[in-house]
Amino acid sequence: MNNKSMQLKSLQQGRGLAAMAVVAFHLSLLLQEPRYLGKAILLDFTHRGNLGVDFFFVLSGFIIVFAHQGDIDHPRQVADYLMKRLIRLFPVYWLYTAIFCTLVGLGFGSAAIFPETSGNWISTIFLIRLDSFELPITPAWTLIHEAAFYLVFATLIFNRKLGVLVMVAWIIAGGIVFQYPNEGFRSPLTTYFSPLNFNFIIGMAAFYLWKTSRYQALKIAFPAGLALLVITYVIESNWLPYEYVQIAYAVSFGLLIAGAAAWEADGFPASRFRLLSLIGDASYTIYLTHLAFLGLIAKFLTKVSGLVPINSYVFYFVAFVAAVFSGCILYLFVERPLLKACRKYLLGDKPAPSLATKVVSPNSPCAR
């Protein structure tokens, strides 16, 4: 029997849903400012949209093992792995940060953060947490966690046993620190040893669950994950704070990811949702740029509403769609060409590991 390949577009679509959840949450918060509508539109429905970040972290753990499982315990692959991760994370971020800082330097952006010290610039350029400074692109605080995870995973590639020890130590340290600081109060300790980093490990576990299970049996993971997500939300809303249920949220996302992959591998036609796939592809750009676009669009709509009354829900809908649409346009004409050029000149045009393809051995329990 020949090996076979399959598409996993459902997970990219999940990334798109998570990105839109984050946009919806931030838009509700933005509109409550007096200079806009002065009320938090739909916040009762979007206030947990920030869980999109938790989903991103879990999915990232899944993707990294998916793309680099063959590199584990092969130290010669460390440099190639790090270059691929650098290309995926930094060029797009650097470009948007450079544009943003230039605009702020020219006087645009009344609430914008601009690096002032050498430490601020080091943090901004290299995504390193040195103190409580928040990055010019505020949502990019999550990229510091991503970069840290990439380095931790590199130890697995260098040496499997060493990598396992490092990850175990990382988990233990996160359990000891156990802090979820708010914006402006994040420190190196509460970033690099945050319990949020458990999400990456849970994503890795989700991948191995998917890899070693039969698809028909694993399909139950999706409704199980959905049920756990609802139960966790109810518990958080009525009894326990986020800090004590965050791991349950992460586990629910891990089950959803493994279950969605199993459903698609067993024939579910995820490919028909093309718009959601595009939003998933554009999710990195949407995530990095949505606050800037929301601010611009809200200012424009506020001026228009001074001339023509605009229903607050129409205001919200137009701003939301315009921000997501703008991110998709930037992805198509900026991010995608930039990544293609970087891979061509830095990797010799090697195809980048992707969620799109998985080769299944006929002897694997995954094979149908």
Side-chain angles (χ1 to χ4, degrees), residues 83-99:
M83 179 58 72
K84 289 174 181 175
R85 293 301 95 207
L86 183 150
I87 289 173
R88 188 64 191 93
L89 192 65
F90 283 99
V92 173
Y93 164 73
W94 282 336
L95 177 61
Y96 295 152
T97 298
I99 294 172

Side-chain angles (χ1 to χ4, degrees), residues 327-362:
C328 290
I329 294 299
L330 277 183
Y331 163 74
L332 291 172
F333 295 100
V334 177
E335 178 186 347
R336 189 165 66 177
L338 178 59
L339 290 180
K340 183 177 180 180
C342 288
R343 287 166 180 154
K344 178 179 180 180
Y345 292 108
L346 297 177
L347 293 176
D349 216 11
K350 296 178 185 176
S354 167
L355 258 185
T357 307
K358 175 201 172 196
V359 177
V360 182
S361 166

Side-chain angles (χ1 to χ4, degrees), residues 48-72:
R48 263 294 165 239
N50 58 351
L51 286 174
V53 170
D54 296 67
F55 182 87
F56 285 144
F57 285 173
V58 176
L59 184 58
S60 183
F62 186 102
I63 293 172
I64 291 302
V65 189
F66 179 98
H68 297 284
Q69 58 177 317
D71 296 334
I72 293 176

Side-chain angles (χ1 to χ4, degrees), residues 299-310 315:
K299 288 178 182 177
F300 172 75
L301 291 176
T302 299
K303 290 183 177 181
V304 172
S305 65
L307 302 173
V308 181
I310 301 177
F315 191 114

